[in-house]
Amino acid sequence: MLLEGKTALVTGSTSGIGLAVARGLAAEGAKVMLNGFGDAGAIEATRADIESLGVAVGFDGADLTQPEAIERLVRRTADTLGPIDILVNNAGMQHVAPVDQFPVEKWNQILALNLTAAFHTIRLALPDMKARGWGRIINTASAHSLVASPNKSAYVAAKHGIAGLTKTVALEVAQAGITVNCISPGYVWTPLVENQIPDTMRARGLTREAVMNDVLLAAQPTKQFVTVDQVAALALFLCRDEAAAITGANLSMDGGWTAQ
Ligand code: NAD
């Protein structure tokens, strides 16, 4: 199997894109540390389900807005599953409000989770990758790492930031056998998207259908949501040896959104 013996940490993998990526990595033989929030019973069922693919699967509910929790998560992954070979920085959140009404604590939380958490996981995981001369760092950015939308100041700022972090780290480790890339999906059908519909309905005075067709998919020329399995397939490709020359890239998967 492609990733037999490798260890992967996938942040924000109790749901949505992260869960699909974690499942994909495990199906290729990687040991996986899951992370995220949710109902304890449902998370344990997910963990056991992925483990039934025949690999060791752990779970750590670290709150990634807390640097000390990130340090514990990385240490626990290495101690229980082995040093991290594949790091997927995926956990993220959204809040929608005009910038002059944007709650300060939401700004701080979004920057901490969507950007600063990746700085911490990367700085903590890199020494082991360098020591073994192989590594894959995959950051889930967004079309919002390339273009903006109104009322998403914190999210757009954080996603532009992670695209810059990706490029910088890629250059720093370019000769160390480690690639660093981000995947930038357009709208993917996940709880994160579903949950922002009520806020957008309120902010813009629209119906649910109008938000879906005229706001969310308005910029996505295919008029189709991206699927979590499509994102997972690209992440898996980046783990292959054939992808060794892809580094520092911001890979759009957005139904043509940012081609406009
Ligand atoms: P999701 O809400 O389904 O999953 C988010 C995950 O992050 C969950 O596992 C959640 O428990 C976890 N999480 C939230 N806060 C956390 C915290 N403080 N500490 C640790 N984990 C935490 O969302 P998703 O759509 O799968 O999003 C995953 C990533 O993809 C995010 O970075 C998001 O910005 C990005 N993205 C999503 C879309 C989309 O349309 N869904 C588009 C582009 C980019």
Side-chain angles (χ1 to χ4, degrees):
M1 270 190 291
L2 179 66
L3 302 174
E4 195 149 6
K6 302 266 193 257
T7 296
L9 168 60
V10 185
T11 70
S13 46
T14 54
S15 160
I17 294 169
L19 177 54
V21 171
R23 202 183 289 280
L25 293 170
E28 285 294 344
K31 296 169 273 182
V32 178
M33 179 62 82
L34 302 171
N35 157 259
F37 296 157
D39 172 75
I43 291 172
E44 174 49 26
T46 300
R47 193 204 61 76
D49 181 45
I50 299 178
E51 198 163 60
S52 72
L53 293 167
V55 291
V57 180
F59 167 72
D60 186 307
D63 177 349
L64 301 184
T65 63
Q66 308 299 318
E68 319 75 55
I70 298 174
E71 294 201 12
R72 285 195 298 273
L73 168 65
V74 171
R75 208 177 314 121
R76 183 171 171 190
T77 306
D79 289 350
T80 57
L81 300 176
I84 297 169
D85 301 290
I86 300 164
L87 170 63
V88 183
N89 288 302
N90 167 80
M93 60 175 291
Q94 175 65 282
H95 185 80
V96 180
V99 68
D100 55 348
Q101 293 160 36
F102 211 90
V104 172
E105 70 278 11
K106 285 284 182 204
W107 172 277
N108 289 336
Q109 208 182 356
I110 290 172
L111 268 289
L113 179 62
N114 295 16
L115 178 57
T116 306
F119 159 68
H120 289 298
T121 56
I122 288 170
R123 76 178 172 81
L124 294 165
L126 262 184
D128 277 337
M129 291 183 184
K130 283 181 180 169
R132 291 193 315 291
W134 195 91
R136 293 288 185 267
I137 299 175
I138 301 167
N139 300 318
T140 310
S142 164
H144 283 122
S145 73
L146 296 163
V147 296
S149 296
N151 303 322
K152 296 184 176 176
S153 52
Y155 189 86
V156 171
K159 294 298 186 181
H160 275 64
I162 200 145
L165 176 67
T166 300
K167 290 195 267 190
T168 307
V169 180
L171 296 180
E172 291 181 19
V173 298
Q175 295 179 32
I178 302 164
T179 69
V180 189
N181 294 288
C182 53
I183 298 177
S184 284
Y187 278 101
V188 188
W189 188 249
T190 68
L192 183 139
V193 166
E194 206 171 351
N195 292 340
Q196 68 185 273
I197 291 176
D199 281 348
T200 310
M201 285 167 67
R202 265 192 301 279
R204 301 200 183 189
L206 296 173
T207 64
R208 183 179 169 83
E209 289 64 38
V211 169
M212 283 177 62
N213 297 323
D214 304 339
V215 180
L216 299 182
L217 294 178
Q220 204 148 297
T222 53
K223 297 295 171 196
Q224 303 282 330
F225 285 97
V226 180
T227 71
V228 295
D229 290 336
Q230 290 168 343
V231 180
L234 180 53
L236 273 178
F237 181 75
L238 290 173
C239 293
R240 300 185 70 96
D241 288 338
E242 291 91 330
I246 304 177
T247 194
N250 187 346
L251 300 163
S252 291
M253 188 177 248
D254 62 9
W257 176 350
T258 54
Q260 300 168 97

